[in-house]
Amino acid sequence: MSFFKNIKEKIANIFTKSNNIEDIEDVLVEADFGIELASKIALQLKKSQDINGDFEAIISDILSPHIQTINTNRDTTVIMMVGVNGTGKTTTVAKLANYFQNLGKSVDIAACDTFRAAAVDQIEKWANKLGCKLFRGQTNSDPASVAYDAVTKSQGDILIIDTAGRMHNNQNLMGELQKIDRVLKKYNPDFPHETIITVDATSGQNTKEQIKAFGEYCKLTGVILTKMDSNAKGGTIVGIVDKYKMPIYGGGTGESFCDFDMFDVKKFCKIM
Ligand SMILES: Nc1nc2c(ncn2[C@@H]2O[C@H](COP(=O)(O)OP(=O)(O)OP(=O)(O)O)[C@@H](O)[C@H]2O)c(=O)[nH]1
Ligand SMILES: [Mg+2]
């Protein structure tokens, strides 16, 4: 089923019954578009003669300019994954590693979630499965020193840094993230080339708060949407892109390292 099929069906139903703009707005708000964007889209659809085509075009217009691929045409591309607890960072590290390996790139991983032994075990399993070199420290060691060690020793085409999940309103933990970022920049001012935030597609409007808060501590360069296979309602990513105009790099659709793709706007927006 397409990501937007449910919404389209609900909107089409309203059109056959009442054509009431407030009802359309309600469907979009319920689908996590956010009130402002929902009103804007509902107003545009009000005049529509072709609800399917027009809805698809509106979504496509918002997303298309921001759907991008990650540039890896450098000697070493350093990518740092950040995000709130459980949003899918570690799984996405594995997914990206697999994706880049399939493009013929060698990928190293830095296990900078040193807070939990289980976190290092989790990324180590992925690294072994994928044949990636892993840089790791002891449990509770300084994540910034693991990052520094990795960045000085990595010989991969790409180095992906996994970080611990943190609540965006926890200043201490956000400060530690800044420290990793600082240490990388000290080694090379261009590092990390990408700081990608994972957002859980089912988290709705809270994701905007997450992006705002993480963006205050490190320069976010893109978003990866995770858990698109679960009961995500579709609007989250549209709302984020509309508000922050940031690149969206792809989406996770399951728990395996294969369950990922860079966004294809046509496929993503197709509502029939
Ligand atoms: N269905 C589904 N599950 C996912 C997806 N991505 C991650 N998960 C699951 O979500 C849970 C959390 O994923 P992790 O990758 O450990 O998330 P994390 O952000 O690294 O978590 P912390 O390190 O604890 O902050 C795991 O059970 C994953 O298997 C996805 O795209 N779809
Ligand atoms: Mg993790």
Side-chain angles (χ1 to χ4, degrees), residues 83-92 95 113 116 119 122 162-166 198 226-230 252-255 259:
V84 165
N85 311 67
T87 48
K89 290 173 296 300
T90 305
T91 314
T92 303
K95 288 172 179 177
D113 181 353
R116 296 176 298 120
Q122 183 191 7
D162 189 28
T163 64
R166 60 202 81 218
T198 49
T226 62
K227 312 191 190 182
M228 285 169 57
D229 53 307
S230 39
T253 53
E255 298 187 80
D259 297 326

Side-chain angles (χ1 to χ4, degrees), residues 9-29:
E9 279 172 2
K10 283 186 187 163
I11 295 176
N13 256 340
I14 295 168
F15 262 70
T16 53
K17 284 184 197 144
S18 64
N19 202 5
N20 184 340
I21 191 165
E22 274 158 25
D23 291 344
I24 300 171
E25 229 175 282
D26 287 348
V27 168
L28 294 172
V29 169

Side-chain angles (χ1 to χ4, degrees), residues 95-260:
K95 288 172 179 177
L96 284 177
N98 176 60
Y99 176 86
F100 291 129
Q101 284 178 334
N102 287 338
L103 297 177
K105 306 271 184 188
S106 61
V107 182
D108 292 349
I109 294 173
C112 291
D113 181 353
T114 55
F115 293 109
R116 296 176 298 120
V120 181
D121 292 347
Q122 183 191 7
I123 193 72
E124 189 162 45
K125 274 188 196 135
W126 285 123
N128 289 341
K129 218 175 216 173
L130 292 159
C132 295
K133 184 171 173 54
L134 184 77
F135 296 93
R136 53 171 294 179
Q138 299 297 319
T139 308
N140 288 324
S141 59
D142 181 0
S145 71
V146 179
Y148 192 78
D149 184 52
V151 89
T152 49
K153 293 182 184 154
S154 173
Q155 300 202 320
D157 297 322
I158 298 165
L159 171 68
I160 312 180
I161 299 170
D162 189 28
T163 64
R166 60 202 81 218
M167 289 311 294
H168 49 292
N169 49 12
N170 184 324
Q171 289 188 1
N172 284 343
L173 289 182
M174 294 303 271
E176 287 191 14
L177 194 60
Q178 263 181 331
K179 187 175 168 195
I180 302 177
D181 191 57
R182 251 194 335 265
V183 158
L184 294 172
K185 284 189 169 41
K186 205 166 158 187
Y187 182 74
N188 182 331
D190 292 335
F191 288 2
H193 300 99
E194 300 282 351
T195 301
I196 300 175
I197 185 166
T198 49
V199 298
D200 179 336
T202 63
S203 293
Q205 290 307 294
N206 189 256
T207 54
K208 286 189 190 151
E209 294 301 315
Q210 295 170 16
I211 288 177
K212 182 170 178 284
F214 273 85
E216 283 164 8
Y217 286 87
C218 46
K219 189 177 174 297
L220 298 177
T221 59
V223 186
I224 286 181
L225 196 61
T226 62
K227 312 191 190 182
M228 285 169 57
D229 53 307
S230 39
N231 63 342
K233 297 177 199 152
T236 303
I237 195 71
V238 189
I240 289 171
V241 170
D242 185 58
K243 188 168 170 66
Y244 294 106
K245 317 281 182 222
M246 39 188 329
I248 37 172
Y249 286 135
T253 53
E255 298 187 80
S256 152
F257 62 77
C258 304
D259 297 326
F260 173 82

